[in-house]
Amino acid sequence: MRIDHVSYAAGPEGLQATAERLAAQLEVTPHDGGVHPRFGTRNVILPLADQRYVEVVEVLDHPASDKAPFGQAVRARSAAGGGWMAWVVAVDDLAPVEERLGRPSVEGHRHTPEGVQLRWRQIGVKNVIDHGNRPFFVRWESDADHHPSRLAESATRLTGLTIGGDFPEVREWLGLTGEPQGSFESQIEFGFLEDDDCPCLVQVSFETPQGPAAI
């Protein structure tokens, strides 16, 4: 279980301008990611080191975006001005998560501009709208060589997450209750704000070639 990527919903300036602004802050090159046909969204990828990436995403004027939880989450965050929407944890086996959450995972896919059909399964997106402090979970079914982080070499690393809400609740959601503190992603600094009004992903920290950056 590891942090796979973080999702940022485009603001009023639109997908490309949002992605270019973040890419400049992170000193990376943005890459068109393509359309999520099942979710009614499209994204731009900002590759990071350590097999991670930033996903900048916007909702499309498409019926799927009104039905799919991911499309609903993107629409809600963009309508609020845009910003961090979710953090995403990759696992090798979704069965324990499905059992814990009491529902099955769903399929996701997108055809990239490079001609690759990316496939994965995900679960937990329904909670993102009201509880962005909790990650959703993915299991990649595509070849590891096609992971979005492989679009380009990057010297920028994700180093920290600041999360609002209840710390024990997030640990329970991750299935870490009873595990030693620090056993999950020990190289990432987690900060928690005890703010019941904002159970969300507040800030993400990075180390770029020119030094620290917090967004």
Side-chain angles (χ1 to χ4, degrees):
M1 184 169 68
R2 62 185 303 275
I3 297 174
D4 186 74
H5 65 278
V6 285
S7 293
Y8 192 102
E13 69 268 45
L15 178 65
Q16 294 302 324
T18 301
E20 288 170 9
R21 171 171 56 83
L22 295 178
Q25 290 177 271
L26 298 178
E27 300 181 60
V28 300
T29 301
H31 295 261
D32 181 17
V35 172
H36 304 111
R38 291 198 61 183
F39 308 147
T41 57
R42 63 178 177 178
N43 67 10
V44 171
I45 303 299
L46 309 183
L48 304 174
D50 307 319
Q51 294 185 301
R52 308 189 209 272
Y53 64 98
V54 174
E55 170 192 48
V56 188
V57 63
E58 76 172 0
V59 71
L60 301 173
D61 184 14
H62 190 281
S65 66
D66 295 324
K67 299 177 182 178
F70 189 79
Q72 294 170 7
V74 176
R75 187 184 301 280
R77 190 66 184 92
S78 289
W84 293 116
M85 186 186 79
W87 56 297
V88 185
V89 170
V91 296
D92 294 328
D93 183 5
L94 279 174
V97 184
E98 292 173 322
E99 182 177 355
R100 193 164 68 246
L101 301 190
R103 59 181 183 267
S105 59
V106 300
E107 181 191 54
H109 64 89
R110 61 180 169 87
H111 191 76
T112 75
E114 294 77 24
V116 175
Q117 185 74 6
L118 287 178
R119 293 191 176 276
W120 66 92
R121 296 193 69 84
Q122 65 187 45
I123 187 172
V125 179
K126 288 182 178 180
N127 300 82
V128 165
I129 296 176
D130 296 322
H131 297 90
N133 58 343
R134 304 175 184 175
F136 66 89
F137 302 87
V138 299
R139 186 192 71 213
W140 287 99
E141 298 187 337
S142 302
D143 191 287
D145 288 341
H146 295 148
H147 188 267
S149 65
R150 300 290 186 91
L151 284 169
E153 293 290 329
S154 177
T156 297
R157 286 182 160 77
L158 188 154
T159 57
L161 302 177
T162 301
I163 300 167
D166 185 68
F167 173 59
E169 180 184 84
V170 175
R171 284 180 56 82
E172 181 180 0
W173 180 258
L174 284 163
L176 296 174
T177 302
E179 296 292 325
Q181 192 167 329
S183 60
F184 171 68
E185 291 285 29
S186 59
Q187 74 276 27
I188 302 295
E189 183 176 352
F190 288 88
F192 284 86
L193 303 177
E194 295 183 6
D195 185 354
D196 292 336
D197 293 330
C198 183
C200 56
L201 178 57
V202 177
Q203 180 176 276
V204 181
S205 300
F206 303 86
E207 185 65 35
T208 77
Q210 298 301 316
I215 299 172

